[in-house]
Amino acid sequence: MAEGSKDQGGVGTTDPEEDSPNMIVYRKIEDIVTRIQDEKAGGVAIRTVKSFLSKIPSVVSGADIVQWLMKNLSIEDPAEAIHLGSLIAAHGYIFPISDHVLTLKDDGTLYRFQSPYFWPSNCWEPENTDYAIYLCKRTMQNKARLELADYEAENLARLQRAFARKWEFIFMQAEAQVKIDRKKDKAERKILDSQERAFWDVHRPVPGCVNTTEMDIRKCRRERNPHRVKKSVYGVPDDGQSQPSPIHISSQPTRKPTKEDVQKEITFLNVQLDRHCMKVSKVADSLMSYTEQFVEYDPFVSATEPSNPWISDDTTFWDLEASRDPSQQRVKKWSFSLEEALKDPAGRDQFLKFLESEFSSENLRFWLAVQDLKRRPLQEVASRAQEIWQEFLAEGAPSSINLDSHSYERTSQNLKDPGRYSYEDAQEHIFKLMKSDSYARFLRSNIYQDLLLARKKVSLQPRRSTAHYFLAGDCLCAGNNISHRQAISRSRKYKTVRALLVPVAALPLKCSTYHQYEMLQSS
Amino acid sequence: MCDQTFLAATFGPCDSCGKASPLMNIYIKNDAINYCSFCMEVMACQGLQSGETLASLKKESDSLKKKLEEERGKLNDIELHQVAEKVEMLGALSIKTKRLLKGHGNKVLCMDWCKDKRRLVSSSQDGKVIVWDAFTLNKEHGVTLPCTWVMACAYAPSGCAVACGGLDNKCSVFPLSLDKNENLSAKKKAVAMHTNYVSGCTFTNSDMQLLTSSGDGTCALWDVESGQLLQSFHGHTADVLSLDLAPSETGNTFVSGGSDKKANVWDMRSGQNIQSFESHESDINCVKYYPSGDAFASASDDSTCRFYDLRADREVAVYQKDSVIFGASTVDFSLSGRLLFAGYNDYTINVWDVLKGTRVSVLFGHENRVSRVRVSPDGTALCSASWDNTLRIWA
């Protein structure tokens, strides 16, 4: 069970803000980076690497990190580990020591871990003044490794223009920072400088890189520090000019539940206790059988005939679905349940046709009318409801349906104040009736069976294979002015078919359409 | 009883009526009672024997919850994935990006398919709503809303209109005209009015009704033509982030998920909360019904997706992995319900075997968070919308 890392970190475990979505991810990542750095507990070796004339302190190779992730997070595919590692880097927890772009590579590239001071979970929202101080500071320090990249130089220029009046102040702050830094140990400075740079790579990313500090606006309200009392990276006092964020509306403290709320809850719980529920084993069987029934219709699992339009760029599959003649596979679906039959407009039509042949179509027509009623705009509802009453339920109604007296009573009561749901009871009753009676007979009827077994009424040559509808591929016929038979024999796919093919429907042959042919038994 | 001149020690929301007022603080049977003077008098008149203090009610509620858990536990005789061991393993899936829809200038937050299986509508953070023919990559309509963060959009069943809403707290309906020159914005009709952002919207089975969910903690059903509120649904104690209509033709229910970690099933006719599920550890970002309508899946910031069955009234599967640590923002089922596509904040889409509980595939490609995944109406393709400003069609 993925333990939300609420219990990690120790600090603020009872803090409600710990539940905020961003914090949950940060805590998980922090757990991972803490484990990676723990050499004794199977973490990676963090070493000082000798490079040319200098030493690179406290680094680890990308390959080591990828290996660790694969081993400890049960990842089989290195690509997945690299992807996860890159995200951890993009969020600022690890960084390449010689690149502004925060990704993980599965090779000897050297990485360093970010200092907890700079972790995103501290809710940094550094201001541009801080960024200006940082960039300014970098230009003051005469080290090759601290040179500004092009985009940083551009940023600095922009900030100089924006903060023209404050620049002296910023310059002073930068100088102060440089002084503080000089006092630190050389190796320590290397590490701190790189960590500081990585921090800014997260908050002021390279153009074109994802800014991982962007938040989903729906979750912003619950962030820690909603009133944005800004914390400066370099201790610059807030000059009070910062506007309160428009997104951070003052969060209302969650309302304490009142007596009414708890009473409602008690009523709800009592209703739930009275509910009859099914065992999981039964439910699982039901889910499995449903899935199994429909799996042949699922394009992601079973092949689509003739082809998936998105893959082959061929819309035949859609053309066939839209055609008036439903495929056998589609007709088969109607037998799954009355609901499935009614979902498909062709199924609905056929069922209606069948009922008409039995002179009992009023049930289905009533059901359809009530469905339609529910879809009407509000102002039409009352009149339409009356019309339905007149047509199906009133004394001497032209399409009188058979309702039990209880439902009849309820419905006529409902109609005193007609609404979209006035006929719910009646509709349910009629649906059950159709399901138990007419639907079963429909499935056995000729109308249905003919479609299911694809028997056509067009007279054909003898010795027909009835169950085999056969779809001809891209017909070359019309374009090349050849006969059907020639086209079929040319089409490589059907080379082996020597039988005579006869078009079922006498439709003009077009290159872009598929035609249904019945295969004759080979003589 | 003269009660107006008591010395109030505290001021705050009354435990009984919730209104902020001077409170009388007394103790009954060791329970602290902080009522305003009116409620105190009402209680006194009802007789202290009924003893129904907030604390005692809470106790009753807690014991009922425990009892319910026990009762439901008895039905948990086996796990879904154990029963599913006898189901055939799925073959290796080979799902690739077949179309890349570029055109949005900012994060794409939402999309919805048209019933014609190839058109779709998408909305983005910069206020743009685009209607595409995804098959040809043709942009057919474009509207710019005055507000940013259009978090919800939906295609009408007839294919003649789209609804969209977001930070403007409204959901508006636009008819789609065939005349390219017509200014769609002019024909905009504001239908839903909430007191906070609109997080989700969907048409019911017709163009005439719109169901919306909002950051104000409620869902609402609206009559499109008149803009009238037909039904509102109260019960969530925090933002409602997502909703989904039951797939049944005769169904009148829908499920909603919110920041209160709860997924609630509602009766559209009465506005009642029929069932509630609370097992996630963080916000539920998306809910979607299983194709049969008997179950639904949810995606949450706790990096798991879960599967709940309505008949068993409990969670029956959890889809999670040690290597998946970022929040799941969106889910959808394949046509048969065998596959669950889930989009995550780590830019990937994980494909889960619903019955066995294992992951069958990972789809890489997006360069930023995946905000929405939807399977096309005939199940032939999956569309994903992302913060990388693009939409991808996978098949």
Side-chain angles (χ1 to χ4, degrees):
Chain A
M1 174 86 155
E3 219 67 58
S5 309
K6 287 183 250 183
D7 300 318
Q8 246 80 32
V11 178
T13 43
T14 50
D15 187 351
E17 262 80 34
E18 281 299 305
D19 287 343
S20 98
N22 288 326
M23 214 42 86
I24 293 180
V25 181
Y26 291 148
R27 293 302 179 217
K28 286 186 189 163
I29 299 179
E30 283 159 18
D31 176 56
I32 291 175
V33 296
T34 309
R35 279 161 60 196
I36 298 185
Q37 289 176 80
D38 190 350
E39 240 184 287
K40 292 192 197 104
V44 293
I46 305 175
R47 296 276 176 267
T48 300
V49 167
K50 286 212 179 87
S51 155
F52 305 108
L53 297 165
S54 64
K55 289 191 222 165
I56 306 176
S58 185
V59 286
V60 72
S61 76
D64 283 347
I65 297 179
V66 173
Q67 280 303 310
W68 188 95
L69 288 172
M70 285 179 67
K71 184 165 161 217
N72 290 275
L73 294 179
S74 326
I75 300 176
E76 281 153 15
D77 181 8
E80 214 189 310
I82 293 171
H83 183 84
L84 177 60
S86 293
L87 276 163
I88 294 177
H91 281 271
Y93 285 91
I94 59 175
F95 57 92
I97 58 168
S98 40
D99 199 345
H100 283 286
V101 178
L102 300 168
T103 54
L104 183 69
K105 294 202 186 110
D106 189 11
D107 57 18
T109 314
L110 298 173
Y111 291 82
R112 200 168 275 149
F113 291 92
Q114 181 59 283
S115 148
Y117 175 71
F118 282 128
W119 278 356
S121 49
N122 295 329
C123 295
W124 289 106
E125 282 176 51
E127 282 294 284
N128 277 330
T129 36
D130 281 343
Y131 190 43
I133 293 171
Y134 166 68
L135 290 174
C136 202
K137 176 171 84 148
R138 287 262 298 275
T139 59
M140 292 173 183
Q141 292 161 309
N142 196 11
K143 287 228 172 348
R145 65 179 163 85
L146 296 173
E147 249 173 33
L148 291 182
D150 285 341
Y151 77 95
E152 287 179 306
E154 274 171 40
N155 287 345
L156 180 57
R158 259 192 307 115
L159 288 167
Q160 274 172 327
R161 286 195 296 275
F163 290 131
R165 295 217 199 109
K166 301 215 295 196
W167 202 254
E168 205 180 307
F169 171 74
I170 289 175
F171 196 82
M172 268 170 36
Q173 294 290 318
E175 274 185 329
Q177 289 296 314
V178 170
K179 260 200 207 138
I180 297 172
D181 285 354
R182 274 208 195 107
K183 292 189 187 142
K184 296 193 186 123
D185 168 61
K186 196 171 168 197
E188 207 190 314
R189 253 173 66 191
K190 267 194 203 169
I191 297 176
L192 287 170
D193 282 345
S194 67
Q195 287 173 333
E196 190 189 20
R197 189 186 74 176
F199 171 79
W200 287 109
D201 286 339
V202 171
H203 292 274
R204 298 289 185 275
V206 178
C209 286
V210 173
N211 183 342
T212 55
T213 61
E214 277 183 321
M215 290 196 291
D216 186 336
I217 205 170
R218 303 172 302 175
K219 322 274 178 167
C220 280
R221 280 196 291 176
R222 285 145 48 220
E223 278 299 299
R224 209 194 281 186
N225 220 2
H227 299 288
R228 275 194 160 194
V229 173
K230 294 192 172 100
K231 184 170 54 168
S232 163
V233 187
Y234 302 112
V236 176
D238 188 5
D239 58 6
Q241 275 181 0
S242 43
Q243 297 289 326
S245 162
I247 324 158
H248 290 138
I249 315 139
S250 55
S251 50
Q252 298 146 310
T254 37
R255 228 185 71 229
K256 255 174 46 183
T258 63
K259 255 178 76 173
E260 272 78 42
D261 290 338
V262 186
Q263 266 163 346
K264 267 195 213 155
E265 202 178 33
I266 290 175
T267 322
F268 179 78
L269 289 166
N270 278 315
V271 167
Q272 296 305 310
L273 278 167
D274 283 339
R275 172 197 297 279
H276 169 69
C277 290
M278 283 169 61
K279 284 204 182 130
V280 175
S281 51
K282 236 181 138 191
V283 144
D285 283 334
S286 158
L287 291 168
M288 273 165 49
S289 58
Y290 179 90
T291 300
E292 208 156 326
Q293 209 177 33
F294 283 90
V295 100
E296 67 177 277
Y297 299 91
D298 188 341
F300 278 105
V301 184
S302 316
T304 330
E305 295 297 329
S307 68
N308 186 326
W310 298 99
I311 300 177
S312 64
D313 282 337
D314 178 356
T315 61
T316 309
F317 177 69
W318 287 334
D319 295 336
L320 287 172
E321 288 286 310
S323 76
R324 279 183 306 147
D325 298 318
S327 71
Q328 279 175 288
Q329 203 192 28
R330 189 170 150 194
V331 173
K332 189 167 109 172
K333 236 201 247 185
W334 304 345
S335 65
F336 293 170
S337 69
L338 177 54
E339 271 239 12
E340 280 298 321
L342 293 176
K343 230 191 242 181
D344 186 346
R348 222 183 298 152
D349 288 340
Q350 292 299 326
F351 188 37
L352 190 63
K353 210 166 123 187
F354 166 72
L355 290 174
E356 275 166 3
S357 74
E358 291 201 333
F359 303 103
S360 61
S361 66
E362 64 277 354
N363 283 341
L364 181 57
R365 283 189 292 117
F366 170 72
W367 188 89
L368 291 170
V370 177
Q371 286 296 92
D372 174 70
L373 171 70
K374 288 191 272 192
R375 293 165 194 178
R376 291 286 170 131
L378 195 57
Q379 60 184 25
E380 291 176 28
V381 164
S383 56
R384 188 81 190 101
Q386 288 299 340
E387 281 169 28
I388 294 179
W389 178 267
Q390 290 304 318
E391 174 74 19
F392 297 99
L393 287 161
E395 284 284 321
S399 314
S400 175
I401 57 169
N402 226 343
L403 267 191
D404 65 292
S405 56
H406 183 73
S407 303
Y408 193 88
E409 268 306 304
R410 284 272 287 271
T411 310
S412 57
Q413 275 298 319
N414 289 345
L415 278 192
K416 296 205 175 126
D417 181 19
R420 272 163 34 251
Y421 296 116
S422 299
Y423 290 103
E424 279 306 275
D425 262 355
Q427 195 190 29
E428 214 178 292
H429 181 87
I430 293 293
F431 188 82
K432 284 199 188 119
L433 205 62
M434 286 195 292
K435 191 165 147 178
S436 60
D437 186 34
S438 344
Y439 177 61
R441 281 184 286 118
F442 167 64
L443 293 180
R444 295 194 295 266
S445 73
N446 282 331
I447 289 179
Y448 180 73
Q449 289 293 324
D450 282 351
L451 286 172
L452 183 66
L453 302 173
R455 290 185 220 128
K456 279 291 181 167
K457 301 214 177 89
V458 180
S459 61
L460 286 153
Q461 306 224 352
R463 280 187 291 153
R464 278 197 330 262
S465 142
T466 52
H468 217 79
Y469 252 40
F470 176 82
L471 297 163
D474 247 326
C475 264
L476 313 157
C477 334
N480 300 333
N481 224 1
I482 51 173
S483 75
H484 304 168
R485 202 174 9 155
Q486 281 173 308
I488 297 311
S489 63
R490 273 195 210 183
S491 174
R492 251 179 284 137
K493 195 173 175 185
Y494 309 115
K495 235 185 206 166
T496 55
V497 171
R498 286 177 291 112
L500 188 64
L501 289 142
V502 175
V504 166
L507 295 164
L509 196 61
K510 286 189 202 148
C511 222
S512 57
T513 57
Y514 276 42
H515 291 277
Q516 291 173 329
Y517 291 83
E518 243 186 37
M519 190 164 84
L520 295 178
Q521 300 278 13
S522 44
S523 36
Chain B
M1 187 160 121
C2 172
D3 65 351
Q4 293 308 314
T5 54
F6 63 92
L7 190 66
T10 61
F11 186 96
C14 164
D15 279 353
S16 173
C17 66
K19 285 194 231 136
S21 40
L23 300 179
M24 302 176 104
N25 320 103
I26 64 167
Y27 283 87
I28 297 181
K29 296 183 198 153
N30 299 322
D31 295 326
I33 304 204
N34 307 302
Y35 283 5
C36 65
S37 63
F38 180 72
C39 293
M40 192 66 79
E41 190 171 340
V42 168
M43 184 176 72
C45 295
Q46 283 173 345
L48 291 174
Q49 268 102 15
S50 57
E52 278 195 349
T53 65
L54 184 63
S56 69
L57 282 177
K58 277 204 181 129
K59 253 190 237 164
E60 196 185 333
S61 155
D62 285 339
S63 80
L64 280 175
K65 277 189 197 151
K66 237 178 125 188
K67 195 167 164 206
L68 188 62
E69 227 180 280
E70 261 172 49
E71 286 296 310
R72 293 289 185 261
K74 287 183 199 159
L75 298 171
N76 194 20
D77 51 348
I78 192 172
E79 297 284 319
L80 173 62
H81 65 84
Q82 288 172 297
V83 179
E85 269 161 30
K86 50 184 165 176
V87 177
E88 230 178 85
M89 280 274 284
L90 286 168
L93 297 176
S94 161
I95 303 175
K96 299 194 177 67
T97 302
K98 294 297 173 190
R99 300 283 191 282
L100 183 61
L101 277 65
K102 289 192 197 177
H104 276 288
N106 212 312
K107 307 181 180 64
V108 187
L109 303 174
C110 188
M111 58 76 46
D112 190 25
W113 287 95
C114 175
K115 286 222 157 59
D116 76 355
K117 311 155 196 172
R118 51 192 284 176
R119 282 178 177 73
L120 55 89
V121 60
S122 60
S123 64
S124 68
Q125 190 194 325
D126 58 2
K128 286 240 170 27
V129 175
I130 302 180
V131 175
W132 314 71
D133 176 345
F135 196 69
T136 59
L137 297 183
N138 193 22
K139 295 187 200 46
E140 297 190 340
H141 298 90
V143 198
T144 306
L145 268 65
C147 82
T148 59
W149 288 87
V150 186
M151 302 172 221
C153 63
Y155 223 118
S158 67
C160 299
V162 294
C164 44
L167 270 193
D168 55 355
N169 298 0
K170 293 192 279 209
C171 194
S172 311
V173 176
F174 294 83
L176 293 175
S177 114
L178 289 166
D179 179 359
K180 293 292 161 79
N181 296 323
E182 213 179 333
N183 180 11
L184 285 183
S185 305
K187 299 205 139 182
K188 174 173 91 160
K189 180 194 207 139
V191 171
M193 309 282 191
H194 279 280
T195 54
N196 214 311
Y197 64 85
V198 170
S199 54
C201 68
T202 179
F203 285 90
T204 60
N205 292 320
S206 85
D207 285 18
M208 289 300 131
Q209 279 122 37
L210 193 64
L211 190 59
T212 57
S213 62
S214 165
D216 64 11
T218 68
C219 299
L221 182 67
W222 310 84
D223 178 65
V224 173
E225 211 186 43
S226 60
Q228 197 175 326
L229 172 67
L230 296 171
Q231 185 65 254
S232 69
F233 306 89
H234 297 263
H236 277 288
T237 51
D239 302 16
V240 185
L241 297 173
S242 167
L243 55 74
D244 187 37
L245 214 50
S248 157
E249 293 278 299
T250 48
N252 295 306
T253 59
F254 71 95
V255 62
S256 67
S259 297
D260 56 357
K261 312 176 198 171
K262 290 212 196 111
N264 292 336
V265 180
W266 308 86
D267 180 340
M268 280 204 289
R269 297 169 291 181
S270 59
Q272 287 301 309
N273 177 6
I274 312 175
Q275 277 174 280
S276 184
F277 301 86
E278 192 176 1
S279 66
H280 271 294
E281 293 166 16
S282 184
D283 300 13
I284 296 179
N285 292 317
C286 186
V287 286
K288 198 73 176 55
Y289 269 98
Y290 180 78
S292 74
D294 294 319
F296 69 93
S298 59
S300 163
D301 278 330
D302 65 7
S303 73
T304 67
C305 293
R306 290 172 201 247
F307 192 37
Y308 299 90
D309 188 287
L310 299 175
R311 299 160 297 186
D313 195 32
R314 62 181 298 117
E315 168 195 295
V316 291
V318 185
Y319 308 105
Q320 64 187 346
K321 242 181 176 302
D322 282 343
S323 55
V324 177
I325 58 173
F326 284 82
S329 57
T330 172
V331 276
D332 200 2
F333 286 97
S334 70
L335 199 128
S336 64
R338 183 66 196 270
L339 298 173
L340 183 71
F341 297 98
Y344 291 76
N345 292 341
D346 65 2
Y347 319 170
T348 66
I349 298 170
N350 286 323
V351 188
W352 300 91
D353 180 328
V354 172
L355 301 174
K356 292 189 183 279
T358 54
R359 184 176 69 179
V360 290
S361 190
V362 195
L363 305 179
F364 293 99
H366 278 298
E367 293 165 10
N368 205 327
R369 296 191 195 192
V370 178
S371 53
R372 181 95 156 169
V373 292
R374 276 289 174 270
V375 172
S376 70
D378 62 354
T380 48
L382 174 77
C383 178
S384 58
S386 165
W387 280 20
D388 66 4
N389 305 1
T390 68
L391 294 111
R392 279 173 187 253
I393 309 283
W394 307 79

